[in-house]
Amino acid sequence: MRVTPELLLRVAREAVQKRVLTEPNLVAAYLTGSLRRKEPFLGGVTDVDIVLVHQERPPQKHETIPLVGGFFLDIVHNARADYDKPKELRLDPWLGPELYDPLPLHTGQQHFFEFIQAGVRDRYHDPENILARAHRNAQNARSLWTELLSQQDTWPRLFQIYLESIWMAANAVAVLTDEPLAERSFLLQFPQRAAAAGKAELATALPALLGANDVEVEALPPCIAAWEKDFLEAASSPQVEPRIATARLGYYKKAFEALVNGETPYSVLWPLLYTWTLAVLALPISRQETWESVCKGMGLIGNAFEQKLQMLDRFLDEIEALLENYTV
């Protein structure tokens, strides 16, 4: 069976229509994410990102529904109250871009979606609003870095914070010229965004923060194999982060394999390390040894962690200086 974006869009519409019939408190629904881009597939697979807006706060935030061939519905449940101030949402570096150009799947009877989108789009591209979104990501990145200076925790938790600081920092640059970076193609997309912002040299610094200088390309496939084993074990834990679900295994694995075998194999590092870290957080300490050995070998944790924090500090300094002098 050949899966196309058009087929997945039809599946999304049908899924939402079923929810409309069974959930009377559904205010709105919209499609966002990869299917709104020109090239949604990576490794031959993509997900279907749907946001459902409920009248009241829903009991669950995330939901993963498997489809054929490794595809799945990635459903986020929000409350109507999350959208009460649409003109403030345009300053949100995540919800702002999400609401600027989604595909409405259910608009409700109260013109909720039209009202929210009008507020978000109003002056969305004004220079001060673009910079506000970028500054918010940069400030979050710096706060996470500062937290690491005094945080006492396990290596997986510390490294998770480190990776999230990198994610926020890179997206401070990305939102200057476009939407936030996609998770799997994070390192693939960043060089173009950095160049568009007039700071192309950041594209070299970013992989170094993720251990690219201390790992051979030949070592990456065994890392993916070890990641897969931990991913599947962690997916059975009720405490695991929603990204770590059996239905998502192919979505990540096929992308990782495509990246490793592509022109820029080190582009696999951020999504591989981040999802692996989330997985081992749900495993007992005795099952974290492989992850820890790999991260130490790449100079990412242990005695090398302080050096990586210094490198991240300089990376953040460069981004903060860019935003201070940036002209939209």
Side-chain angles (χ1 to χ4, degrees):
M1 179 180 177
R2 181 169 173 266
V3 178
T4 64
E6 292 74 22
L7 174 61
L8 294 174
L9 178 57
R10 187 166 74 244
V11 170
R13 291 186 186 279
E14 292 172 354
V16 169
Q17 288 308 308
K18 290 180 181 178
R19 296 293 181 108
V20 171
L21 294 174
T22 59
E23 300 182 26
N25 72 334
L26 195 62
V27 176
Y30 55 92
L31 181 88
T32 186
S34 56
L35 284 179
R36 300 296 291 152
R37 306 185 189 106
K38 291 182 179 179
E39 298 179 3
F41 295 97
L42 181 56
V45 181
T46 190
D47 60 350
V48 182
D49 296 291
I50 298 173
V51 178
L52 301 180
V53 183
H54 303 264
Q55 188 64 44
E56 305 295 335
R57 181 69 56 188
Q60 66 179 136
K61 180 65 177 177
H62 292 93
E63 189 178 356
T64 300
I65 300 179
L67 303 173
V68 297
F71 296 85
F72 60 93
L73 302 180
D74 186 1
I75 300 177
V76 172
H77 298 270
N78 289 338
R80 191 187 192 287
D82 296 334
Y83 302 83
D84 279 348
K85 299 178 180 179
K87 290 189 177 182
E88 291 185 12
L89 291 176
R90 70 185 175 198
L91 303 180
D92 189 303
W94 305 97
L95 272 177
E98 177 181 294
L99 290 165
Y100 183 83
D101 190 32
L103 178 68
L105 299 175
H106 173 61
T107 57
Q109 299 179 355
Q110 301 174 354
H111 302 288
F112 165 82
F113 192 83
E114 293 90 335
F115 173 74
I116 297 301
Q117 193 170 60
V120 169
R121 286 183 170 181
D122 181 37
R123 301 180 60 195
Y124 180 86
H125 293 294
D126 282 7
E128 61 267 29
N129 291 333
I130 293 174
L131 282 169
R133 293 191 291 271
H135 275 294
R136 190 172 297 186
N137 273 343
Q139 290 161 1
N140 287 337
R142 178 60 76 181
S143 294
L144 290 167
W145 177 85
T146 303
E147 182 181 345
L148 286 169
L149 299 181
S150 58
Q151 179 82 305
Q152 299 292 322
D153 212 322
T154 63
W155 278 122
R157 175 57 184 152
L158 292 173
F159 194 57
Q160 179 194 7
I161 298 171
Y162 173 80
L163 291 172
E164 289 176 351
S165 178
I166 292 173
W167 170 258
M168 288 290 181
N171 273 296
V173 178
V175 300
L176 288 171
T177 56
D178 209 329
E179 64 182 5
L181 298 164
E183 179 186 30
R184 296 185 303 165
S185 55
F186 176 61
L187 291 172
L188 274 181
Q189 296 175 327
F190 183 71
Q192 181 180 1
R193 303 295 185 83
K199 204 71 174 174
E201 60 269 28
L202 290 174
T204 302
L206 185 56
L209 288 169
L210 297 164
N213 297 339
D214 297 291
V215 62
E216 299 295 332
V217 172
E218 294 75 15
L220 295 175
C223 288
I224 294 174
W227 161 88
E228 180 178 3
K229 186 176 181 181
D230 287 345
F231 187 100
L232 286 172
E233 182 177 346
S236 62
S237 170
Q239 285 80 35
V240 77
E241 210 270 356
R243 282 185 180 86
I244 313 304
T246 303
R248 296 172 180 255
L249 176 67
Y251 169 77
Y252 288 120
K253 183 180 178 181
K254 291 179 180 179
F256 294 172
E257 291 172 343
L259 291 170
V260 166
N261 293 311
E263 295 180 358
T264 55
Y266 291 114
S267 295
V268 76
L269 286 175
W270 194 88
L272 172 64
L273 290 169
Y274 188 61
T275 54
W276 198 355
T277 302
L278 293 179
V280 299
L281 279 166
L283 299 178
I285 294 177
S286 61
R287 290 289 298 113
Q288 298 175 4
E289 294 177 354
T290 303
W291 171 90
E292 185 170 330
S293 175
V294 168
C295 289
K296 283 184 177 178
M298 294 170 64
L300 294 171
I301 62 173
N303 295 332
F305 191 60
E306 184 175 348
Q307 181 184 5
K308 282 295 185 288
L309 286 181
Q310 293 172 359
M311 291 173 60
L312 179 55
D313 182 28
R314 293 192 293 271
F315 187 71
L316 294 173
D317 284 343
E318 289 289 322
I319 292 172
E320 289 159 358
L322 168 66
L323 298 184
E324 287 174 7
N325 300 292
Y326 192 75
T327 302
V328 178

